[in-house]
Every structure is written in structure tokens, then in C-alpha cells.
Amino acid sequence: MKLDKIDNSLLGLLQEDSKKTTKEYALKLGLSTTAIYERIKRLERAGAIRSYVALVDKAIVDRNFTVFCHVKLVQHVKDNIAQFEAQVMRLQEVVECHHLSGDYDYLLKIHVKDMDAYRHFMVNKLTAMNHIGSTQSSFTIKEVKHSTAIPL
């Protein structure tokens, strides 16, 4: 799918606030509400817009302790990779998992209540998984920047 300047502007507006009306987007972009509606539907059908979500405040739901955990598998082979990825998908504490190049195989972003909750997660869930050789954890002191928006 080829995106034009208006598509990019519309996607930017939707990333800022997807609860506005098509009329509000139309006014900002100088198009009709029908044109905006059709563009949004086309972007959804093409997969450019994957879903609409609510961004929840971590502190309010008591998950304000953020950990970045590097994971090294015992052996970086297809079966171990597939099994690890399937298992990590089921861990609700893990909000992101990235397969990496370099010294470690994966980087996990984890949200839990506190250090005790993280220890419980490590001992009972993460390190209980097969094929994990080592882990290294870093704890967030302060979240300086956080965005879910994709730069356009």
C-alpha cells in the first residue's frame, strides 16, 4: 500500500487521539467527512491501522515497576527459539519481546508491581522456562520518554 501525505497526516492524528470524530479530522485536514471515513476504512483494510486501544496508566493499575530483561538461550536453534517465543507470549507481565542480534538473544519489557513481584516472576515463570541460559535485568529509574506513535 502506498501512503500519501494526507494518509500520513491522518495516521498522525489518529495516533494522537483516535476518539475524535471523522468530522474533526476532516476539518483539520481540509477534506469531507466522507473522504476521511473512506481513508480510515482503507487504512484499516490494508492493515496500516491494526487496532484501537486505550493506553492505561501503569501507576493506577499498580504495575509501575518496569524491567528490561536480556535473555540468552542455552542454544540458539530453531526449536528453542520457537518454544521460547510461544512461552513468552503467554506471560502477561511481558509487554514487549524483541529478538536481537548481539550477545543476548531477546530483550523483554516487563511491567510488575515491585521488586518482590519481579523476583516472583523471574523465579516462577521466566527462569522456569526451558532453554534459558542466562538473564540480565535493568530497572527503570525514570521514564524520560514514552510513545506508542510510529514516526511518519
Side-chain angles (χ1 to χ4, degrees), residues 72 76 99-106:
K72 187 181 288 190
H76 197 103
H99 194 175
L100 304 173
S101 63
D103 292 337
Y104 285 90
D105 299 316
Y106 291 91

Side-chain angles (χ1 to χ4, degrees), residues 6-17 25 149-150 152:
I6 294 172
D7 289 332
N8 284 336
S9 296
L10 179 56
L11 287 170
L13 291 171
L14 288 165
Q15 287 185 108
E16 286 174 21
D17 184 357
Y25 298 129
I150 304 297
L152 301 169

Side-chain angles (χ1 to χ4, degrees), residues 54-64:
L55 300 177
V56 176
D57 187 308
K58 296 182 298 288
I60 290 175
V61 296
D62 213 11
R63 296 292 182 274
N64 208 28

Side-chain angles (χ1 to χ4, degrees), residues 76-92:
H76 197 103
V77 295
K78 185 177 181 179
D79 288 343
N80 293 359
I81 291 168
Q83 186 177 15
F84 174 79
E85 290 178 2
Q87 290 174 321
V88 83
M89 291 295 290
R90 293 189 295 270
L91 299 174
Q92 70 176 21

Side-chain angles (χ1 to χ4, degrees), residues 115-143:
M115 180 63 84
D116 288 336
Y118 183 63
R119 183 182 188 286
H120 183 268
F121 168 79
M122 284 294 291
V123 170
N124 295 297
K125 294 184 179 182
L126 188 61
T127 58
M129 293 168 53
N130 294 329
H131 313 298
I132 293 187
S134 64
T135 63
Q136 178 183 342
S137 300
S138 298
F139 308 101
T140 298
I141 296 169
K142 177 184 175 187
E143 187 175 86

